[in-house]
């Protein structure tokens, strides 16, 4: 196998992803500083800019679009590169904390009333967070429908 045929290293994927994201946002007129971090859930590129609200968009929709485009570009250039998560000034982390706090309130409601609660539609990443939050809970179980919908509603109920 020639050196150019070898699979990309993690460092190559990080550098390529950072360069692609910087170029993409630069073409859109944003001056950004990008940091990366790795966790068990994968690679995250954290973007810092004075115009973060414009990049996040309404309910994070523009942020989702940027992440989608970056991953398409990255996988076109490096097919074996890992999926990259894009965040703007820790927006996703803050949203996840708020979502999980709200879901814990709903779980407390289930504990006290005994009635199941259906949560709003969520994407697969959010559902994974919710199921993980109740994985070891002795009183509450979480369940998702088995259909193929992209956004599904989780139901919290007593075990």
């Amino acid at each position: 196998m020639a050196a150019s045929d070898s699979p990309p290293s993690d460092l190559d994927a990080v550098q390529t992803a950072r360069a692609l994201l910087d170029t993409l946002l630069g073409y859109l007129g944003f001056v950004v500083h990008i940091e990366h971090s790795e966790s068990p859930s994968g690679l995250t590129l954290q973007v810092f800019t004075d115009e973060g609200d414009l990049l996040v968009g309404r309910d994070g929709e523009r942020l989702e679009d940027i992440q989608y485009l970056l991953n398409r570009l990255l996988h076109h250039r490096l097919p074996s590169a890992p999926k990259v998560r894009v965040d703007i000034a820790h927006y996703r982390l803050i949203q996840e904390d708020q979502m999980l706090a709200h879901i814990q309130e709903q779980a407390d409601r289930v504990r006290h009333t005994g009635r199941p609660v259906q949560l709003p539609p969520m994407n697969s990443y959010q559902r994974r967070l919710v199921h993980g939050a109740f994985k070891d809970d002795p009183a509450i179980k979480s369940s998702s429908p088995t259909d193929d919908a992209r956004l599904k509603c989780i139901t919290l109920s007593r075990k």
Side-chain angles (χ1 to χ4, degrees):
M1 179 182 274
S4 62
D5 294 339
S6 63
S9 69
D10 288 344
L11 184 58
D12 291 340
V14 169
Q15 290 174 339
T16 302
R18 283 180 74 166
L20 286 169
L21 183 58
D22 189 43
T23 302
L24 175 69
L25 296 177
Y27 281 140
L28 294 172
F30 292 95
V31 177
V32 298
H33 171 72
I34 301 172
E35 297 177 1
H36 76 276
S37 63
E38 293 190 41
S39 66
S41 60
L43 172 66
T44 298
L45 293 180
Q46 195 67 241
V47 178
F48 297 97
T49 181
D50 292 337
E51 302 169 301
D53 291 344
L54 291 174
L55 287 176
V56 170
R58 185 176 177 194
D59 297 325
E61 289 175 0
R62 196 165 296 137
L63 176 57
E64 290 291 331
D65 295 340
I66 291 167
Q67 179 175 295
Y68 174 78
L69 284 172
L70 173 65
N71 279 293
R72 293 285 300 193
L73 292 168
L74 179 62
H75 288 106
H76 179 73
R77 188 165 291 174
L78 299 172
S80 63
K83 185 172 183 201
V84 176
R85 190 163 182 230
V86 177
D87 198 357
I88 310 292
H90 303 286
Y91 171 82
R92 288 185 192 270
L93 185 62
I94 293 165
Q95 292 299 312
E96 288 169 10
D97 288 345
Q98 290 174 348
M99 178 191 74
L100 289 174
H102 173 70
I103 289 170
Q104 285 296 340
E105 291 172 6
Q106 296 298 319
D108 289 341
R109 198 167 121 204
V110 171
R111 282 184 188 92
H112 289 89
T113 65
R115 285 189 238 146
V117 170
Q118 187 172 29
L119 302 174
M122 296 179 211
N123 64 34
S124 62
Y125 179 78
Q126 293 167 326
R127 291 193 310 272
R128 202 169 22 253
L129 289 175
V130 172
H131 290 309
F134 296 105
K135 176 178 63 172
D136 297 326
D137 191 301
I140 301 293
K141 69 177 180 176
S142 60
S143 57
S144 290
T146 58
D147 62 6
D148 289 338
R150 188 177 79 77
L151 297 176
K152 297 180 186 180
C153 298
I154 291 178
T155 301
L156 299 179
S157 58
R158 281 188 175 170
K159 283 189 178 176

